[in-house]
Amino acid sequence: MSGRHSGRTSQGLRIAALPRTLQLLFRLAPRQLNDEIAFAKIELKRKGIQVGVAAAFLAVALVFLLFLVVGLIVAAIMGLAAVMPAWLAALLVSAAFLLIALIGGLIGMRKFKKAMPLVPEETIRGIKYDVGIAREGSAFNPAVLDPESPEAKAAKAAKAEAAARAKAEKEAKAGEHDKELPHASEPELVRRLNQRRHHLTEVRDDLGEELDAESQARFLLGVAQEKMRQGQVLAVRGKDVAARRLAALSQSAGGSLGNRWKPLTALAAAGTVFLVLVRKLLRTY
């Protein structure tokens, strides 16, 4: 998988790696989403096959249910045949079925005609008119609401052309996506999803550490303590050097003068070293 994370940072301030971590997350998230969608399509296809098999069994059950109805009809005919000829019994049963079908059909057609049209045409036309006025104002032409008008046909053709262009752009983008991320089998998708999920977990943990104020404060405190230890070492060295120089000066100028300036010189040297260390620490941060 491309764009593998280089690992956890061990030196320097962790928050400096935050842009790189966010960039990696933004690159991994779309690929993970694409693989999730592809895996969902495979799963839906598998479930569709299962539903198809279930529908086949239901169709078989329906066929045998029809056979049951036919058997009941035959039984009714044979029962009537006990008191009249068989052909007359079958004719009576068929006539009864025909009468029931005619009555139900006539009632259904009457109800259907009353319900037509099934959509509120005038309300839809009024809404389209209001939308056209809101979008174009006085420039709106109500003739486009009439499906048989030339304006409506021209608008429909323009809309169809725009839809075809949008479809072509969508297919082009899909072709580029398939070229960049070719179709993978289900095991490959599962392996890739698990691998990227593990990678995202590591990146998220790194991001949490980079944004953790307490760990950043501990890191800064450790650096400051290290600088202070280095400063103490330098101060001791400076004190020793100043003491040696003062001893040499006192031997040349006299014991009484050296004893008088020795503490002041040591204090000045220590103060100078401390100021240098503080300045260096401030420049570092």
Side-chain angles (χ1 to χ4, degrees), residues 53-86:
V53 174
F57 280 101
L58 289 175
V60 172
L62 182 61
V63 169
F64 280 94
L65 180 63
L66 292 177
F67 289 163
L68 174 62
V69 173
V70 172
L72 292 175
I73 294 173
V74 172
I77 293 173
M78 293 181 66
L80 292 175
V83 295
M84 63 182 65

Side-chain angles (χ1 to χ4, degrees), residues 7 14 16 18 22 49 65-66 74 83 85 113 119 127 132 135 137 155 164 196 208 216 234 236 240 243 262:
R14 285 182 178 271
L18 179 59
L22 293 178
I49 294 174
L65 180 63
L66 292 177
V74 172
V83 295
K113 287 181 179 180
V119 294
I127 292 175
R135 293 175 58 184
R196 195 178 292 115
Q216 300 299 325
L234 291 177
V236 172
D240 294 339
K262 184 177 180 179

